[in-house]
Amino acid sequence: MTMIGALLRATVIALMSMNTRAFIATHVSSSTRGGDLVCLCASNANEIMPMKQGSSCAIITPMTNEGKLDIPSLRKLLKFHLASETDNLCILGTTGEASVLNMEERAQVLTTAVEEVKGKIPILAGTGTIKPEAVREMTLQAIELGCDASLVVTPYYVKPPQRGLIKHFTDMADIGLPVVMYNIPGRSQVDLSVESTVICAQHPNIIGLKDATGDLDRVQQIRQSLAAEDDLLLYSGEDGTSSEFVMRGGDGCISVTANVAPKAIHDLMMASLAGNAELAKNINKPMLDLHKKLFVESNPIPVKYAAWRMGLISTPYCRPPLSNLDAKYYNDVETAMEAAGLFGFGDGTNVVVPSNAMSSSKQNRSFSP
């Protein structure tokens, strides 16, 4: 461990010792990131599963037509990803509609994920928001419930300076759960610079970065700027360019498309990590239109519709201020799904017609059990 890593680790331990939360215990576990020990001062410390290279699904949160959590559909989705070789699961991100869930609902979702996949797939819990105190509260909850890492977005709207971003990420890493930073300037209106990323990466609890800048040169810039011994995980946040991102030095993707095509995205990432450009191209070609059409409206509106059409969830309901997919996009999404070979794949017995859904030209497609 570097001198900086040792000092940071000592600081984490000191800070955690002052925390009065009843569920925090004084255990230390190690995580495989750059060979550094990671302080995980929680009752689940010895059960932390390190994040992997490959495909991380930014999983949707299924809901009923009344807007309640649909836990049976969530369990079905989690089992689907186990069977499809998804490498990591990102729970309660933007795709999971985390911003409209309360703490009790978050606990239900995370508890279900832990019950179904703990120790089988690493669980990355989205805990980022604009208010540091809220990030801390959600991260502590994730520790208590048994998650393996936290995804923390750059605080949006307020446009913090780089020094503020560095402090935010290192403060959250001090809590004790491994952190994957999330840089998405298109939504947050602030860009975590390469230099700030490298500074943050010196913290032993900061294990990765989800990059949704769309700048493919950045992955090489970050990789070249990191210390030789630092193996910060670099995940693409853009499905359309994730293969090239990985071939330029990235480690995988955090994917929306993986909700409906998890095995294909896993295979795509494995081919890309192996540097097999031809195989990656062949795997990705049927999904090229799907990557685009899953964003014809705000995420996760289209992907929930696609998952519903496959029979993976009972309704495509999205909570306000989002809404269900506009009927004018049904054909666009379904045509892309057909090109990707997704019809005839789900289980139609799980489907309930949403209260505000209009009939689609392809609504009578049959599902294979």
Side-chain angles (χ1 to χ4, degrees), residues 194-238:
V194 171
E195 294 76 17
S196 296
T197 299
V198 172
I199 291 171
C200 289
Q202 296 174 21
H203 194 298
N205 258 12
I206 293 180
I207 63 167
L209 170 74
K210 176 183 177 181
D211 183 281
T213 63
D215 182 359
L216 290 172
D217 291 331
R218 186 168 291 205
V219 63
Q220 293 170 299
Q221 294 168 2
I222 294 172
R223 192 63 79 199
Q224 292 168 1
S225 300
L226 290 169
E229 69 276 10
D230 198 327
D231 56 350
L232 185 76
L233 292 164
L234 299 179
Y235 297 111
S236 168
E238 302 283 347

Side-chain angles (χ1 to χ4, degrees), residues 18 24 31 39 72 90 104 115 137 157 160 179 185 221 275 296 339 356:
M18 294 185 288
I24 298 296
S31 175
C39 176
C90 180
E104 181 180 347
E115 288 172 353
E137 182 182 11
Y157 187 71
V179 169
Q221 294 168 2
V296 292
N356 66 334

Side-chain angles (χ1 to χ4, degrees), residues 85-121:
E85 301 182 70
T86 294
D87 299 289
N88 307 288
L89 281 172
C90 180
I91 314 287
L92 297 178
T94 304
T95 310
E97 299 174 81
S99 61
V100 292
L101 300 184
N102 60 38
M103 289 298 286
E104 181 180 347
E105 290 171 322
R106 288 180 61 90
Q108 285 183 265
V109 171
L110 294 178
T111 298
T112 302
V114 168
E115 288 172 353
E116 294 292 340
V117 304
K118 179 67 177 177
K120 301 170 185 175
I121 305 178

